[in-house]
Amino acid sequence: QEQPIFNWHIKYLCDEVQQAVERVIRREPKQYDLIINIPPGSTKSTICSQMLMAWAWTRDPGLRFICGSYSGDLALEQADYARDIVQSDKYRQLFPHVAIDPNKNNKSNYKTTVGGQRFSTSVGGTVTGVHAHVIVIDDPLNPKKAVSEVEVKNANQWIDRTLSTRKVDKAITLTILIMQRLSEDDCTGHWLRKAEKDGKRIKHLCLPCDDEWEIKPEELKKYYDQ
């Protein structure tokens, strides 16, 4: 078995995501939604689309998640990885209070025995009758199609019009958008402009591959200088 290679950004992302989700677990009003811009191959999906749900359920197995990606196959693949963690022998031994209901164990929509849920869908897909405590949007745009104005517009409208209505409580439900930057009008750019216009708070983390690009927050630049 290959040994993981740890970089400083992994713990940083885990700490940031945990801090935001802890408020949801306590059912406290959120301080902000979260945008994370990071290059591909940086364990972003492992952290946010796979391990986050498995960790959060150890604290509150009743949490409900909606997870979306640009393709249905990608969304289902991430859902499978997350479910494998929860159903693993070690996880079940350590956290016996977390269990997936065998009668509600569909690949795209599985639930815990106490009402927790993971609903997975593609950008543009329907999310009828589902409301989440945490919404994770992981790669809403296919990099190969990001130059398409239609693709970009559809993704932005899906986030604005569909996901925005799928919250258990608008004051508490956390939305996490994690993606690589693809254009000025991509989901990150669109969401930041809309939030500024509407007066909504977003914490924007930008971790590029090198310091030729903007780094947010600026104090992280010290890691690039090493």
Side-chain angles (χ1 to χ4, degrees):
Q1 185 176 0
E2 294 184 8
Q3 293 297 314
I5 300 175
F6 290 101
N7 188 48
W8 65 267
H9 79 280
I10 295 177
K11 183 179 186 304
Y12 177 79
L13 286 185
C14 289
D15 288 345
E16 287 289 337
V17 172
Q18 178 175 342
Q19 180 177 325
V21 176
E22 288 275 8
R23 296 188 67 88
V24 180
I25 293 171
R26 296 191 297 267
R27 303 300 190 270
E28 297 175 357
K30 65 184 175 185
Q31 295 178 319
Y32 47 76
D33 287 310
L34 193 59
I35 292 179
I36 303 169
N37 295 141
I38 194 168
S42 303
T43 70
K44 65 178 181 59
S45 294
T46 301
I47 293 170
C48 291
S49 291
Q50 299 172 27
M51 294 184 174
L52 171 58
M53 181 204 77
W55 165 78
W57 277 355
T58 68
R59 302 287 304 280
D60 181 355
L63 285 181
R64 286 180 266 164
F65 287 78
I66 294 174
C67 301
S69 298
Y70 67 79
S71 80
D73 288 343
L74 180 59
L76 292 180
E77 181 179 47
Q78 300 299 345
D80 260 351
Y81 285 135
R83 183 170 56 177
D84 285 346
I85 296 173
V86 175
Q87 295 186 146
S88 68
D89 291 339
K90 178 177 258 188
Y91 186 97
R92 292 170 67 185
Q93 181 180 3
L94 292 171
F95 310 108
H97 64 290
V98 184
I100 293 177
D101 188 333
N103 297 315
K104 300 175 182 178
N105 194 1
N106 299 317
K107 194 170 185 179
S108 63
N109 183 20
Y110 48 84
K111 300 180 180 181
T112 67
T113 54
V114 294
Q117 182 178 21
R118 179 178 178 131
F119 182 90
S120 301
T121 185
S122 60
V123 169
T126 58
V127 197
T128 305
V130 181
H131 295 83
H133 297 98
V134 180
I135 298 173
V136 179
I137 310 165
D138 183 1
D139 279 339
L141 289 169
N142 184 337
K144 296 179 181 179
K145 298 181 179 180
V147 295
S148 167
E149 292 184 7
V150 174
E151 294 284 337
V152 173
K153 182 178 179 180
N154 287 343
N156 289 335
Q157 288 185 345
W158 184 70
I159 293 173
D160 289 346
R161 300 177 183 178
T162 300
L163 290 187
S164 64
T165 66
R166 300 291 94 195
K167 300 176 181 180
V168 170
D169 184 331
K170 290 185 177 181
I172 295 175
T173 293
L174 171 71
T175 301
I176 301 172
L177 169 64
I178 183 163
M179 61 179 293
Q180 59 176 306
R181 287 306 305 266
L182 297 167
S183 71
E184 288 295 319
D185 296 322
D186 64 13
C187 298
T188 290
H190 172 78
W191 201 17
L192 287 172
R193 289 190 296 271
K194 190 172 186 299
E196 183 177 5
K197 179 181 177 182
D198 297 340
K200 295 182 178 179
R201 291 193 62 189
I202 289 180
K203 189 168 188 177
H204 185 198
L205 310 178
C206 190
L207 309 180
C209 57
D210 56 53
D211 59 6
E212 293 183 9
W213 305 91
E214 185 178 20
I215 300 168
K216 292 184 178 182
E218 288 187 6
E219 58 261 28
L220 296 180
K221 192 173 181 180
K222 63 185 178 184
Y223 294 108
Y224 289 79
D225 294 335
Q226 295 178 357

